[in-house]
Amino acid sequence: MTSNRSLQKSILYNDLVAILGAENVSRDEVECQAYVGDVSFLGMVIPRHNFEVERPDFIVWPETTEQVSEVLKVANIHKTPVTPYCGGAGVQGAAVPLFGGIVMDVKKMDKVLEIDETNLKVTCQTGLIGQTLEWILNEKGYTYAHIPQSTYCSGIGGFLAGHSAGVLSTKYGKIASMVLGMEVVLPTGRVIRTRAVPQSAAGPNLNHLFIGSEGTLGVITEATLVIHPMPEVRHFRSFLFPNLHSAFEAVRKIMRRGLLPGTLRVSDEEESKEFYKQDGSFMTISYDGFEELVDLQLRETMKIAEAEGGSDLGPEPGERWWKRRFSSVYPKDSGNPLEMGRHTLNVGNVIDSAGSFTYLEAAHREIRQALLRIPGQSFMAHFSHWYKTGGMMYPYCVNTGAASEEEMIDRYFRMHRAAVEVIHRLGGTMTHHHGVGLTLRGFMQEEFGESFETLRSIKHTLDPNNIMNPGKLGFDWR
Ligand SMILES: Cc1cc2nc3c(=O)[nH]c(=O)nc-3n(C[C@H](O)[C@H](O)[C@H](O)COP(=O)(O)OP(=O)(O)OC[C@H]3O[C@@H](n4cnc5c(N)ncnc54)[C@H](O)[C@@H]3O)c2cc1C
């Protein structure tokens, strides 16, 4: 006899096939199992661990906005969860379909719809992989200048829904400041568009509601982004400072002076030793654009660095880092903390906190102390993504020697509890661009305080049946 649940699943399957065609719907066990996790630490241990995660019933690959809308309407009728999925390269587990249902992989929505060279903007569907868009633009002499380390394996939808930041963000901004307009399918299936204009004073900017929403408020189907002519030159310079404090002082003065570096990375003493074999605090900076302005900014930077005790290491270390910056990420077993947990009983994660200059120095000291109390813990950090008011700290937190998978997972959460306690006490934010996912969902109320209720009301209004990526961003479970 067929159970109610399997009858309902058959009906839903047929509804989905009617919308998308059989080739765009899968209920194959192996394919569904492949979407249980993502590349986050939790996403990698979930498939082999007894987490309360159901395997999705269906994977769907819509090709049009209309199909996305119809799928969401049907999901509401069946009260079935829908988890949007782009590259699956999130590092916090935001794309893990906690309650099964439908995983909506948007990667077939990968068209560039318009490149407007006069007004410097590109409109595309959001399943497009970041590097593919960059190559298409480069061929015409443009860049969209969003180059996260995951550019080859994540897409525009994931960048927008995950509030991503690329390596050039100090000059070009995070994805939030690159997006002019977007099309979003709300959880009920209604399609809305925001105006792709340089600025508007017509009420609150709705783009910002969906940036960082991690698939909980709808599916972003199209985006219009700013583009830039390719820079004529990109020049690098590296410096070695006596300690982290003097490197921070140099950064603070560079930003105060109004200089606009593309990349600006500062390593703490541990990372300087480990990666660059240097005693002190290592800094790499680059400027891009037209040559006279780039050279002028470099000269100002060298004056500031010298005044803070920095020794000039020339252009070579930065050029080498830029050339090889993807090579440490993709090979397996490379020692990359994000790869750990896949094969071993080691935990690796990064904590991308942000705050003022004053905050960064104190937070680095206190988070380090708090984490090193955990057995098997190591700690080193770099700092990048700068603003006039502060920047981001990025510790690699590797933990080795857990006796079991349970202990490994306990240590993972212990690491985050210890760090977030310091972050909130000192007035920072617990994430600058990696987002919340499964790792930080339990701290959202604390991060937002009273205003979390406002966010919860918006979720409830837009998604009355709580179908969109339930259990994420600190919203209610099923
Ligand atoms: C090696 C490596 C390096 C990384 N480097 C960086 C970096 O430099 N900067 C950075 O910011 N991040 C980085 N990340 C993290 C990750 O790439 C980003 O978080 C990225 O935004 C995820 O994009 P994705 O396409 O993989 O999204 P997914 O992992 O597929 O999804 C992320 C979230 O967005 C939601 N989502 C996806 N598409 C849509 C859509 N169309 N509409 C609504 N919701 C959607 C999902 O439900 C999920 O909640 C790195 C990750 C790795 C593995």
Side-chain angles (χ1 to χ4, degrees):
M1 210 166 67
T2 315
S3 72
N4 241 348
R5 171 140 165 81
S6 53
L7 178 61
Q8 201 194 359
K9 267 171 70 172
S10 294
I11 294 170
L12 177 53
Y13 176 72
N14 281 291
D15 286 348
L16 293 172
V17 168
I19 297 165
L20 299 157
E23 69 283 10
N24 285 327
V25 183
S26 175
R27 53 182 170 180
D28 175 79
E29 277 189 18
V30 175
E31 274 183 326
C32 290
Q33 182 65 24
Y35 283 83
V36 163
D38 58 8
V39 310
S40 63
F41 169 73
L42 291 173
M44 288 191 283
V45 295
I46 278 169
R48 60 172 201 222
H49 205 80
N50 248 354
F51 270 99
E52 266 184 66
V53 174
E54 289 173 34
R55 189 164 57 210
D57 299 316
F58 307 107
I59 315 300
V60 299
W61 292 272
E63 293 179 35
T64 64
T65 301
E66 293 66 35
Q67 288 176 340
V68 172
S69 165
E70 290 307 310
V71 169
L72 295 192
K73 285 178 191 163
V74 162
N76 270 288
I77 294 167
H78 290 265
K79 307 237 180 335
T80 298
V82 179
T83 304
Y85 197 101
C86 193
V91 292
Q92 305 284 56
V96 172
L98 272 185
F99 299 98
I102 300 168
V103 168
M104 182 182 281
D105 185 337
V106 294
K107 280 198 287 297
K108 280 195 179 177
M109 299 183 65
D110 62 353
K111 313 272 173 313
V112 174
L113 302 169
E114 189 191 9
I115 298 176
D116 179 346
E117 297 185 50
T118 307
N119 298 298
L120 289 179
K121 51 190 185 176
V122 60
T123 301
C124 61
Q125 290 182 304
T126 55
L128 191 61
I129 292 298
Q131 191 57 32
T132 309
L133 176 58
E134 183 62 13
W135 279 327
I136 291 169
L137 291 169
N138 289 173
E139 266 180 24
K140 290 181 167 286
Y142 297 95
T143 171
Y144 82 117
H146 183 67
I147 310 183
Q149 193 82 340
S150 56
T151 183
Y152 287 89
C153 57
S154 358
I156 307 302
F159 296 152
L160 289 164
H163 227 312
S164 170
V167 72
L168 299 171
S169 84
T170 302
K171 175 170 180 180
Y172 294 97
K174 292 180 68 182
I175 196 80
S177 48
M178 298 175 173
V179 66
L180 299 172
M182 50 170 77
E183 179 189 75
V184 181
V185 182
L186 298 179
T188 51
R190 175 186 288 225
V191 182
I192 62 165
R193 296 187 77 93
T194 62
R195 285 179 187 274
V197 291
Q199 270 300 339
S200 167
N205 184 341
L206 277 186
N207 291 332
H208 289 281
L209 184 59
F210 300 99
I211 295 167
S213 59
E214 297 189 4
T216 61
L217 300 179
V219 183
I220 306 165
T221 42
E222 274 181 36
T224 300
L225 304 164
V226 179
I227 58 173
H228 310 265
M230 288 290 274
E232 286 170 21
V233 294
R234 173 169 290 128
H235 288 171
F236 290 87
R237 205 86 193 178
S238 298
F239 302 93
L240 184 67
F241 290 87
N243 50 47
L244 187 57
H245 176 74
S246 49
F248 272 150
E249 279 304 285
V251 175
R252 205 170 58 76
K253 288 174 184 166
I254 287 166
M255 298 309 293
R256 247 176 122 86
R257 190 92 170 113
L259 306 180
L260 264 188
T263 53
L264 174 43
R265 281 170 71 94
V266 171
S267 299
D268 71 1
E269 285 90 346
E270 273 92 351
E271 192 183 273
S272 302
K273 184 114 202 132
E274 177 75 23
F275 286 177
Y276 305 104
K277 313 294 171 225
Q278 301 278 7
D279 288 324
S281 179
F282 182 85
M283 175 200 282
T284 285
I285 191 164
S286 76
Y287 291 96
D288 61 46
F290 64 91
E291 194 148 19
E292 291 86 340
L293 187 54
V294 166
D295 287 348
L296 181 64
Q297 295 191 86
L298 266 182
R299 280 202 301 278
E300 277 300 300
T301 301
M302 284 156 79
K303 274 193 238 161
I304 293 171
E306 195 185 345
E308 295 304 325
S311 332
D312 186 357
L313 304 178
E316 197 275 332
E319 286 167 0
R320 185 157 28 102
W321 166 75
W322 182 254
K323 251 190 230 132
R324 296 192 190 160
R325 69 196 190 283
F326 296 120
S327 62
S328 67
V329 173
Y330 298 102
K332 286 221 171 87
D333 297 323
S334 58
N336 169 16
L338 300 172
E339 279 289 336
M340 298 180 116
R342 194 192 286 274
H343 312 290
T344 65
L345 283 181
N346 297 338
V347 186
N349 200 37
V350 286
I351 296 167
D352 60 319
S353 172
S356 67
F357 287 101
T358 322
Y359 164 83
L360 289 177
E361 241 184 299
H364 175 259
R365 191 176 51 246
E366 290 202 32
I367 293 177
R368 184 172 180 282
Q369 279 165 5
L371 293 195
L372 289 180
R373 280 186 210 115
I374 301 171
Q377 189 69 44
S378 73
F379 182 96
M380 60 180 168
H382 75 252
F383 301 78
S384 49
H385 308 291
W386 297 100
Y387 307 84
K388 277 202 163 74
T389 51
M392 183 219 60
M393 171 174 57
Y394 195 92
Y396 295 99
C397 304
V398 175
N399 189 289
T400 53
S404 64
E405 289 206 342
E406 285 75 14
E407 192 184 339
M408 175 176 78
I409 292 160
D410 280 352
R411 286 188 189 183
Y412 176 82
F413 282 113
R414 194 171 155 193
M415 194 192 297
H416 283 282
R417 270 200 310 277
V420 173
E421 188 281 317
V422 176
I423 290 165
H424 284 161
R425 179 161 48 75
L426 296 180
T429 175
M430 60 188 180
T431 173
H432 172 264
H433 59 265
H434 279 166
V436 177
L438 295 174
T439 304
L440 298 174
R441 56 175 299 288
F443 304 106
M444 280 294 278
Q445 178 84 54
E446 210 181 291
E447 171 96 6
F448 270 68
E450 278 302 301
S451 52
F452 192 63
E453 213 33 58
T454 310
L455 200 58
R456 198 182 261 137
S457 313
I458 293 171
K459 165 73 174 170
H460 190 68
T461 305
L462 293 185
D463 188 9
N465 292 317
N466 193 18
I467 60 160
M468 291 305 306
N469 206 358
K472 302 293 173 49
L473 273 197
F475 294 137
D476 302 332
W477 297 77
R478 292 297 291 158

